[in-house]
Structure formats: C-alpha cells, structure tokens
Amino acid sequence: MYELKKTLGFFSGTALFLNIVIGAGLLILPGIVYQQVGQNAIISWALVSLISVPILIIFTILGVYFPNSGGVAYYAEKAFGNIGRNFATLLLLGAVAFGLPSIALTGAYYLSAILPFQYHFYAALLILLPTLLHLFSGKHISTITTTIGSTVIVFIIILLFFAIRDTQGIETIKLPHINNNIFDLFSPFMIIFFAFTGWEIGAHSAEEFKNPKRDFPIAMLFSFLITTILYLTVAFLVQQEENITDPLTPFIGILKKALGDKAVLLVSLLATLIVFANLFGAIWGVSRLVYSLSRDKIIPKYFSLTNKQGTPIYAIILTNTALLFVLALDYYNLLSIESMLSIAGQNFLILYGVASCALFFLSKKLLFKIISITVVLIISIIIIFGGVFLLYPLAILIISYAINFTGNKN
C-alpha cells in the first residue's frame, strides 16, 4: 500500500501545527530576549511576528496549490528539478536531525528538575513515545494530535491566567521605550525567529487534509495567530516581573507569586508536555518526508511501505533512529545543544529562501511572485546581518549536485 490516509480537518490540522511550532522555547525565549533588549522586548516580538507573516503565506500557498507529503523538497523539485529537491531535502533533514534532539534535551532538563535522573534517558523517552503513538492508524493519530494540542493550549492558558491575575497588583505597568538606536530592537532577531519555525514541516501534511484548499490555510492561520498571541503574552508578563533570577526559566518567576513553590513543578510538567507535543507533530511531518522520498525512488522503496491503516511505519522507524543517533552524539560529548540549535536554525532560514524561490517560478500570479520576492529579500537581509556560515549550505549544495550526478549516471 502506498497511499496516505486523508484524515486531517480544521481542528486536527490546527492542533498538529501547534504541536509542531509551540515548543519549550515558549518558556525560555521570552526571558532571553528581555535580557537583551529590556522593556522593548515585546516590540521585538511583534516585529518578528509581522516579518514572519509573508513566510507563513508562502507555505500556505504552496500547500494549497501543490499539496504533497514531500513539502519543500517537492516544491523545489517542481521548480528546479532534482538538484533543487536534493538541496531542500538535505537542508530540512539536516535541520530536524539536529533540532529535534535539542528540543528533547530541553524537555529532559525540565523533567530532571523535578525527577532527578540522567537527562539523556529522559530525552530518549521523549523521542520514543511519540514514535510509538505514530504506529497507530491515521484516525487514531488525528484524535491523539487534537487531544495533545488542546491539552497543551488549555494548560498554558490556565497558567497564564494566574500570571495575568497577579499583575493586577502592580502599580506601574512597564511600557516599551524606544531609544535613538532603533536597530537595537532587531538584535535578538534570530532568537525570536527560531520560535516561528516549523511551518515548513507542517506543509508536508497538506496531502493528508480531507479538504486542503479550505482547511489547510485556515489551520495555518489559526495556529499562527494562537502562537503569536501566546508569545506576546508571555513576553509582556516577563516584562512586568521584577523577580526573574534566571532568564532561561522566566515562567517560574512569573508564577511564583501566585503559586509559590508549586510553580517549579507546574512549569516543569508544562515544559515536558510541550516538548512531547512538539516532537509528536514534528516526527509526523519528517516521517512523511522520508515516505515521499522513498515513494519517488530517491531512497530505498522499502521506506514507502505502509501498514493496513496507511501508516508509513518504516519511515517512522528510520526517523526515530536518526534522532536517537544524534542524541547519542551529545551523550558522548561529540555535540552540544548549542551547536544543534545553530545548525537547525541556519538550515530552516535557507530552506525558507528555497521555498520562496520555488513559488516564484511555479506560480504565474503576479501577487504570489511579489510575495516571493519580499520573503527572499527579508531572508537575504537576515543572512547578511545574522552571520550565517555560508560554507555549510555551500557544502550541502555540492552534495546535492553529487547525488544528482550519481543518479543520472546510474
């Protein structure tokens, strides 16, 4: 069997995208950004969220007009041929192979705070459990995805309610104050931008929507709005709290006044739940990319086999094995979580540029071309001023040519 089940609708699709995008960064990044730019942090968050809108539109258009489980790799192939497909595939796989284990480690750190144990063991469990859940049928996966997404959001809203209620006793609300150097607002750009990555993985699921032209863009829009509101709310609360001692755990400081020592337990459980949901959605998307590559005979056909329920079990197992391998590299001190995040962030950024260029060549509509050019310009500015290590994507491009040459020769 080689057909994916069309099981996603508006609610399950929105929950899936939220699971992919909202990670433990919600509990960490606002504190780091506030440490860098102070009370202007919320303006920085708002600016980056606005800049992210054209990128979201790119993937929404591609998902609606070219729904395919191959995602960006499929779009790049349609626009640039096999070389474009190979380049996009290596960029994305290189990003998630390092990014997802770093997310698992983040959840493991929080879990170790309340249940002291070897955090690599916890990280492995956070990777293995979503993999096991994916072995259920498509119908069950949609139900599980909706449940996890809803639980995460409800849990966050409940905690934010306590934090917002606690701000009523603050006599003076700290408001942004822009100095003469407006460019300082963009200094934490890459940190904030990492919070808005993940839509390219969600685009892989467009082929599994029952009505992709109607439900896919609405699910993308609603999940983006919810994500933006959550980050802006946390950024505002961090800005008002004076007793945050550690920028990596600002939520503990936010909730400690209202919940006391219970804040540590609640925040740790929340972080673990968010990471689990994040990995659940991401493994779904990555395994569909592996499935698509196998179906298109780029990798062995064995990985496109599905069970009776239409689940690509071998693609899921391969994805899981790769993530655990990278985690093992960190365990033996051959990698660090900082290097994992750096590699992942850079690959995502360049991948967005590939997707934007693909839309420019694939679409005949002037509006879509204008949006594509806009996103390419934004990404070019980030690359110029963000210190992207260009030798790495250049090496990936060379490997892409080599794969294409070998394939043609065979």
Side-chain angles (χ1 to χ4, degrees), residues 10 13-15 17-18 21 49 52-57 59-61 64 196 199 209 212 214-229:
F10 164 65
T14 300
F17 297 153
L18 288 174
V21 177
S49 64
S52 300
V53 171
I55 295 175
L56 178 74
I57 294 175
F59 287 106
T60 301
I61 294 172
V64 169
F196 290 94
W199 309 109
F209 273 78
R214 182 194 67 187
D215 293 336
F216 179 77
I218 298 177
M220 291 280 278
L221 174 62
F222 269 77
S223 57
F224 176 79
L225 290 176
I226 293 172
T227 300
T228 302
I229 292 172

Side-chain angles (χ1 to χ4, degrees), residues 10-32:
F10 164 65
F11 290 105
S12 57
T14 300
L16 175 64
F17 297 153
L18 288 174
N19 290 343
I20 294 173
V21 177
I22 297 179
L26 183 65
L27 306 179
I28 298 174
L29 297 181
I32 298 177

Side-chain angles (χ1 to χ4, degrees), residues 81-362:
N82 292 338
I83 293 177
R85 175 199 62 200
N86 297 338
F87 186 52
T89 300
L90 292 178
L91 280 174
L92 180 55
L93 291 179
V96 298
F98 291 95
L100 297 187
S102 69
I103 293 174
L105 284 170
T106 301
Y109 295 146
Y110 274 92
L111 192 55
S112 296
I114 55 176
L115 294 173
F117 197 67
Q118 222 294 329
Y119 56 82
H120 285 97
F121 173 78
Y122 286 140
L125 283 181
L126 287 171
I127 293 174
L128 286 170
L129 289 179
T131 301
L132 293 176
L133 287 177
H134 278 298
L135 298 180
F136 286 95
S137 68
K139 180 180 179 181
H140 290 155
I141 287 179
S142 295
T143 302
I144 294 170
T145 301
T146 303
T147 302
I148 293 177
S150 301
T151 302
V152 170
I153 298 305
V154 170
F155 200 1
I156 292 175
I157 292 175
I158 291 174
L159 292 182
L160 289 179
F161 170 78
F162 285 105
I164 294 172
R165 187 188 64 175
D166 196 51
T167 62
Q168 295 178 358
I170 298 178
E171 296 181 359
T172 304
I173 299 295
K174 297 179 183 178
L175 299 176
H177 177 71
I178 302 176
N179 54 29
N180 294 329
N181 190 1
I182 193 173
F183 292 101
D184 288 344
L185 296 174
F186 292 93
S187 60
F189 183 92
M190 288 305 301
I191 295 175
I192 301 175
F193 186 74
F194 186 79
F196 290 94
T197 60
W199 309 109
E200 70 292 331
I201 297 178
H204 296 167
S205 64
E207 191 178 8
E208 297 183 65
F209 273 78
K210 299 175 183 177
N211 189 340
K213 289 190 176 182
R214 182 194 67 187
D215 293 336
F216 179 77
I218 298 177
M220 291 280 278
L221 174 62
F222 269 77
S223 57
F224 176 79
L225 290 176
I226 293 172
T227 300
T228 302
I229 292 172
L230 286 174
Y231 270 108
L232 289 177
T233 301
V234 176
F236 171 78
L237 293 173
V238 169
Q239 185 169 308
Q240 306 308 315
E241 181 56 54
E242 298 179 350
N243 298 317
I244 295 177
T245 57
D246 187 352
L248 296 179
T249 56
F251 235 92
I252 293 178
I254 291 174
L255 293 168
K256 202 158 189 178
K257 287 184 178 179
L259 304 178
D261 294 335
K262 295 179 181 179
V264 178
L265 176 62
L266 288 175
V267 171
S268 298
L269 291 176
L270 175 61
T272 303
L273 182 60
I274 290 178
V275 167
F276 176 81
N278 196 200
L279 290 172
F280 183 92
I283 290 174
W284 167 295
V286 176
S287 65
R288 268 52 183 180
L289 172 59
V290 174
Y291 163 87
S292 178
L293 294 176
S294 176
R295 184 181 60 182
D296 296 337
K297 301 180 181 180
I298 300 173
I299 62 176
K301 194 175 182 180
Y302 180 77
F303 295 106
S304 64
L305 295 176
T306 62
N307 59 17
K308 294 181 179 180
Q309 290 74 35
T311 302
I313 55 176
Y314 298 109
I316 294 173
I317 292 173
L318 178 62
T319 301
N320 175 267
T321 302
L323 300 182
L324 291 177
F325 174 77
V326 174
L327 185 62
L329 294 179
D330 181 79
Y331 176 79
Y332 289 106
N333 296 321
L334 298 176
L335 276 178
S336 66
I337 191 171
E338 292 81 9
S339 60
M340 291 181 194
L341 290 171
S342 177
I343 294 172
Q346 177 173 287
N347 279 24
F348 279 129
L349 179 65
I350 298 174
L351 191 66
Y352 295 155
V354 173
S356 301
C357 291
L359 178 60
F360 179 85
F361 287 102
L362 291 176

Side-chain angles (χ1 to χ4, degrees), residues 20-68:
I20 294 173
V21 177
I22 297 179
L26 183 65
L27 306 179
I28 298 174
L29 297 181
I32 298 177
V33 175
Y34 180 76
Q35 187 181 42
Q36 291 193 6
V37 295
Q39 63 193 65
N40 291 325
I42 194 169
I43 297 181
S44 297
W45 279 98
L47 288 174
V48 176
S49 64
L50 288 175
I51 293 174
S52 300
V53 171
I55 295 175
L56 178 74
I57 294 175
I58 290 290
F59 287 106
T60 301
I61 294 172
L62 288 171
V64 169
Y65 288 89
F66 309 96
N68 189 277

